[in-house]
Amino acid sequence: EIVLTQSPATLSLSPGERATLSCRASQSVSHLAWYQQKPGQAPRLLIYNTSNRATGIPARFSGGGSGTDFTLTISSPEPEDFAVYFCQQRSGWPPSFTFGPGTKVEIK
Amino acid sequence: QVQLVESGGGVVQPGRSLRLSCEASGFSFSNYGMHWVRQVTGKGLEWVAIIWSDGSQAYYRDSVTGRFTVSRDNSKNTLYLQMDSLRVEDTAVYYCARALEHHRYFDAWGQGILVTVSS
């Protein structure tokens, strides 16, 4: 099973301060996705296939990377962006899906 | 708009069974694969099962294989998760989610339903 590791565990920043979240895979993956989750809510898809924004996601969210190292960037976080972010990948056959442990983005 | 609504959760003793339902609306349910994903309160996300759009294939995480069964009724726009031989470690919020991009991702989620396994 491919293990995803996210860093940092917590990211403290001010609104408008650029945020860069990291997701590292234990072996090479073709693509991955990023999700945002706020307290008491279901996750929401932000980015899929590494760099494609999901429907309705603002342009301040961008994804990149390849192989084992991927990033989610929030160019200028708004107050509503303070949440937990998970990365996720699918691999193998039969299919297996794994999530990273999450990065909490909090207001400094 | 796309809507997924789970039901059927609750408190159950270890070894007993429970069936979750997920009613879909706002999209052509029969055209989409569907997943179940769970989350222990305050913890991370864990994929549970996937079923193809026509129900022809289904796959599970190792820890639930042989105990959980995913199914669907496309005439009722409803997804199911039959959970047998429940264990304390199955306690979690269970989400149904729509599959995107050859089933790789989860692009729409229900609000989640809590399943508590406790004696």
Side-chain angles (χ1 to χ4, degrees):
Chain A
E1 177 180 277
I2 294 178
V3 176
L4 299 178
T5 304
Q6 291 185 243
S7 61
T10 303
L11 184 59
S12 299
L13 43 81
S14 304
E17 182 181 355
R18 185 183 187 91
T20 302
L21 286 66
S22 173
C23 179
R24 177 163 288 179
S26 59
Q27 54 188 282
S28 183
V29 301
S30 55
H31 287 290
L32 57 68
W34 292 90
Y35 301 82
Q36 177 193 70
Q37 188 176 34
K38 298 178 181 179
Q41 296 185 17
R44 177 175 71 145
L45 177 66
L46 298 176
I47 301 288
Y48 67 96
N49 281 349
T50 301
S51 59
N52 295 323
R53 276 188 300 276
T55 303
I57 302 304
R60 63 181 180 272
F61 291 93
S62 63
S66 64
T68 60
D69 291 296
F70 297 84
T71 58
L72 172 70
T73 301
I74 314 173
S75 59
S76 182
E78 299 285 340
E80 63 266 28
D81 298 337
F82 292 91
V84 179
Y85 293 83
F86 297 95
C87 56
Q88 172 260 320
Q89 66 83 38
R90 166 195 160 164
S91 62
W93 192 266
S96 175
F97 305 81
T98 56
F99 291 86
T103 290
K104 181 179 181 180
V105 177
E106 63 178 24
I107 299 176
K108 184 185 290 184
Chain B
Q1 73 283 17
V2 174
Q3 195 167 12
L4 299 168
V5 179
E6 300 95 341
S7 61
V11 181
V12 62
Q13 293 179 326
R16 305 298 292 266
S17 299
L18 206 60
R19 188 176 83 154
L20 303 183
S21 299
C22 169
E23 187 169 345
S25 60
F27 66 101
S28 184
F29 180 71
S30 61
N31 288 345
Y32 286 85
M34 296 293 296
H35 296 271
W36 287 99
V37 177
R38 67 187 180 185
Q39 185 172 35
V40 174
T41 302
K43 301 294 184 182
L45 297 160
E46 189 173 81
W47 172 76
V48 174
I50 182 176
I51 186 168
W52 260 227
S53 60
D54 61 359
S56 60
Q57 298 183 58
Y59 300 96
Y60 305 86
R61 69 177 300 105
D62 288 346
S63 62
V64 308
T65 297
R67 300 189 298 121
F68 289 13
T69 303
V70 60
S71 62
R72 63 192 297 160
D73 185 339
N74 285 345
S75 69
K76 295 182 178 179
N77 290 341
T78 303
L79 173 74
Y80 303 100
L81 184 67
Q82 177 67 40
M83 303 185 293
D84 298 324
S85 302
L86 281 161
R87 303 169 180 169
V88 171
E89 55 265 34
D90 295 320
T91 295
V93 172
Y94 284 74
Y95 297 98
C96 60
R98 190 175 74 172
L100 175 70
E101 280 292 305
H102 308 291
H103 307 115
R104 288 196 186 104
Y105 311 117
F106 316 86
D107 77 329
W109 297 66
Q111 83 286 355
I113 192 82
L114 179 61
V115 172
T116 302
V117 184
S118 173
S119 55

